[in-house]
Amino acid sequence: MPGGRTLQIGTVAFLEGRTGFMCLNRLKCQVIVSIVLLASWPLLAQETPFSDLSPDQQLSEDILRELVSYESSNDRPDLIEKALQTMATRLLAAGFTANEVQVLNPSPNNYGMLVRYRGIGPQKTLLVLSHIDVVQAVPDQWAFPPFVLGKKDGYYLGRGTADNKAGVAEIISNFIRLKREGWLPGRDIVAAISGNEETSGDFAKWLAGEGRQLADAEFAINTDAGGGEYDESGKRLALWVQTSEKLYQTYQLTTVNRGGHSSQPRPDNAIRNLAEAITRVGAHTFPVILNDTTRMALRRSATLYPEHVGEDMLALAENEGDLAAAQRLSDFDPGFNAMLRPTCVPTQLSGGHAENALPREANVTVNCRILPSTEAIEIEKVIAGLVDGLGVDIEIIYDGLASDVSVLPDALMEQIESLSEAHFGDIPVIPGMSTGAPDGLFFRNAGIPVYGISALFSKPGESGAHGLDEKIGIEEFHQSVEFLYQLLMTMAQ
């Protein structure tokens, strides 16, 4: 952060940066930081209220505000634990017992929470997933303070609002509301809130494996997948239900050389060889491979796009060998390209040790997202063939876990469609495949079907999740809370 004048408030120092004052000691700033940042970011000075909130809506907002205030990124496991303990305190005060609310630490820096809403029927448990951890945020690069919930122009502002603290707030507030109303479900509902979905996934991995007895379920709902889609004008287009995800796999490509003096260059240059490898991998297009989920998504969503795009979607759904249609769709939107085929992309690069020396080593990280029907070893073979002859070593640095598609039963689909119509009108409900890798994959591998169901609507690319200036619609958030309230009662009756 650029240096500037220092502001001292008692024992707390703030350094002025490009967009405001940065606290120099985070442990001392939890109370004062909100005051200073709100004064320093003029965007928040013009707060636009959503409307008069009902008591239930106010509870949801209060919980979201509390969650956003914690900088619960992977380098702050202490704050992840504290955020979970804060939610546990709320649930205990609402009438849940200590046996029903557990903040767990199954391995070092691996935190999560389980909340059991006890039912009275014989049906197997319903599992509800979310995560409380977030991607890091650099405050001086944001237009508003990332760890203070703001309200502006109909949006809630702050890191984690979209991914996935809104989901956590929806679950916690609805559990509290249902407990207060005295509702008794026909089966147990277990909420599993992970503290490391954005990184290792260790909590979900443990819960689906060694901790399986704590959350064995008939099926799971994941609030961190699926979602509602607006068009650019704000018209509701569709509600997506995630039933599968691509495999996350990462490789490191390395070239090694004996080096030498930069005044005597040779053809065998580690960086030059790696650059050629990067070019070949980056330019490669994998073949189109459709599965039942992606084929259905193409058919059901074709009417949501311009006519020529919809025609290509329908043509490709009928014939995945229509390469011209696949290319036009990929050119129209990178999201289509990610849905239709495996992808591999260079993401990190390093090399050389001195400006006046020939590089002895260079390496690049290549992140691949692989379709459920494709074996990772097949992708590795393709990469090896592309870089053949360049002296490139290939190492797996993240070995992903493949997961099968969760078949969506007709009865469950009908329930979702009925609730969607009641809340959002006549829009299609479309099963889809996530190009990311949420926690659901661990439970799918454990034999528990997972359906990504979030009713949070947004325009494409609007939320800023994982990026700058993350936000969600205020009205959309409260509608999503209400949708989950109805969904829980429907699926656990």
Side-chain angles (χ1 to χ4, degrees), residues 36 111 114 118 147 154 171 251 341 359 403 416 468 471 483:
V36 175
Y111 292 98
L114 293 183
R118 296 197 183 277
F147 299 108
I171 293 170
Y251 301 95
R341 52 171 57 93
S403 59
I416 299 169
L468 296 176
K471 63 183 180 181
F483 184 90

Side-chain angles (χ1 to χ4, degrees), residues 148-217:
V148 178
L149 185 69
K151 290 170 31 173
K152 171 78 174 169
D153 295 335
Y155 290 93
Y156 284 128
L157 315 172
R159 173 56 94 211
T161 47
D163 189 15
N164 177 241
K165 289 182 176 180
V168 178
E170 290 176 20
I171 293 170
I172 301 299
S173 61
N174 275 317
F175 270 39
I176 291 173
R177 175 182 175 184
L178 290 166
K179 177 68 76 171
R180 184 182 68 244
E181 293 172 352
W183 178 64
L184 292 175
R187 66 169 91 203
D188 283 8
I189 308 173
V190 172
I193 299 173
S194 167
N196 45 43
E197 188 273 347
E198 298 290 4
T199 51
S200 64
D202 280 346
F203 184 75
K205 190 185 307 181
W206 170 82
L207 187 60
E210 294 177 50
R212 174 69 178 265
Q213 75 280 1
L214 297 175
D216 195 17

Side-chain angles (χ1 to χ4, degrees), residues 240-261:
W240 291 85
V241 177
Q242 185 245 25
T243 60
S244 62
E245 61 266 313
K246 295 177 93 172
L247 167 68
Y248 184 107
Q249 184 92 351
T250 305
Y251 301 95
Q252 182 169 278
L253 278 55
T254 302
T255 53
V256 179
N257 197 275
R258 59 191 173 90
H261 201 287

Side-chain angles (χ1 to χ4, degrees), residues 220-278:
I221 297 168
N222 190 3
T223 65
D224 189 37
E229 181 181 357
Y230 284 138
D231 66 13
E232 290 300 327
S233 69
K235 177 185 175 183
R236 290 193 185 98
L237 290 179
L239 181 67
W240 291 85
V241 177
Q242 185 245 25
T243 60
S244 62
E245 61 266 313
K246 295 177 93 172
L247 167 68
Y248 184 107
Q249 184 92 351
T250 305
Y251 301 95
Q252 182 169 278
L253 278 55
T254 302
T255 53
V256 179
N257 197 275
R258 59 191 173 90
H261 201 287
S262 64
S263 65
Q264 299 180 23
R266 303 186 311 274
D268 58 334
N269 183 290
I271 289 179
R272 191 171 76 179
N273 288 1
L274 188 69
E276 175 62 25
I278 292 170

Side-chain angles (χ1 to χ4, degrees), residues 73-366:
S73 54
N74 68 301
D75 62 339
R76 295 303 306 270
D78 58 321
L79 293 182
I80 291 173
E81 181 188 19
K82 190 170 182 180
L84 291 170
Q85 292 288 1
T86 300
M87 294 299 102
T89 298
R90 278 188 174 272
L91 289 158
L92 292 170
F96 289 87
T97 69
N99 289 331
E100 294 166 340
V101 181
Q102 298 174 281
V103 175
L104 302 169
N105 180 209
S107 58
N109 295 329
N110 176 16
Y111 292 98
M113 182 169 74
L114 293 183
V115 187
R116 183 174 294 273
Y117 196 122
R118 296 197 183 277
I120 57 175
Q123 295 171 275
K124 202 170 181 180
T125 297
L126 167 63
L127 184 62
V128 188
L129 307 176
S130 61
H131 68 88
I132 205 166
D133 59 311
V134 297
V135 172
Q136 288 96 334
V138 181
D140 72 321
Q141 296 177 359
W142 284 50
F144 48 81
F147 299 108
V148 178
L149 185 69
K151 290 170 31 173
K152 171 78 174 169
D153 295 335
Y155 290 93
Y156 284 128
L157 315 172
R159 173 56 94 211
T161 47
D163 189 15
N164 177 241
K165 289 182 176 180
V168 178
E170 290 176 20
I171 293 170
I172 301 299
S173 61
N174 275 317
F175 270 39
I176 291 173
R177 175 182 175 184
L178 290 166
K179 177 68 76 171
R180 184 182 68 244
E181 293 172 352
W183 178 64
L184 292 175
R187 66 169 91 203
D188 283 8
I189 308 173
V190 172
I193 299 173
S194 167
N196 45 43
E197 188 273 347
E198 298 290 4
T199 51
S200 64
D202 280 346
F203 184 75
K205 190 185 307 181
W206 170 82
L207 187 60
E210 294 177 50
R212 174 69 178 265
Q213 75 280 1
L214 297 175
D216 195 17
E218 180 182 354
F219 63 92
I221 297 168
N222 190 3
T223 65
D224 189 37
E229 181 181 357
Y230 284 138
D231 66 13
E232 290 300 327
S233 69
K235 177 185 175 183
R236 290 193 185 98
L237 290 179
L239 181 67
W240 291 85
V241 177
Q242 185 245 25
T243 60
S244 62
E245 61 266 313
K246 295 177 93 172
L247 167 68
Y248 184 107
Q249 184 92 351
T250 305
Y251 301 95
Q252 182 169 278
L253 278 55
T254 302
T255 53
V256 179
N257 197 275
R258 59 191 173 90
H261 201 287
S262 64
S263 65
Q264 299 180 23
R266 303 186 311 274
D268 58 334
N269 183 290
I271 289 179
R272 191 171 76 179
N273 288 1
L274 188 69
E276 175 62 25
I278 292 170
T279 300
R280 293 182 189 181
V281 172
H284 181 73
T285 300
F286 288 90
V288 172
I289 305 173
L290 299 181
N291 56 44
D292 289 344
T293 294
T294 53
R295 189 173 283 107
M296 184 184 296
L298 288 170
R299 288 172 177 156
R300 287 200 172 199
S301 59
T303 59
L304 308 181
Y305 292 89
E307 184 176 356
H308 68 284
V309 177
E311 290 173 353
D312 281 338
M313 294 169 70
L314 293 175
L316 194 62
E318 294 305 316
N319 175 21
E320 66 182 54
D322 191 339
L323 300 183
Q327 187 59 56
R328 287 191 295 269
L329 289 173
S330 298
D331 292 341
F332 176 76
D333 186 340
F336 279 118
N337 185 63
M339 179 177 73
L340 298 176
R341 52 171 57 93
T343 61
C344 290
V345 59
T347 55
Q348 293 177 303
L349 180 66
S350 64
H353 59 284
E355 65 177 273
N356 59 352
L358 298 178
R360 292 195 296 268
E361 182 176 321
N363 58 68
V364 62
T365 300
V366 176

Side-chain angles (χ1 to χ4, degrees), residues 1 14-23 33-47 138-148 150 152 157 469:
M1 182 177 70
F14 296 87
L15 179 65
E16 186 179 31
R18 181 170 59 83
T19 57
F21 287 96
M22 168 70 78
C23 180
V33 69
S34 299
I35 301 170
V36 175
L37 290 177
L38 285 170
S40 302
W41 272 273
L43 177 66
L44 294 181
Q46 305 170 25
E47 180 176 314
V138 181
D140 72 321
Q141 296 177 359
W142 284 50
F144 48 81
F147 299 108
V148 178
K152 171 78 174 169
L157 315 172
D469 305 335

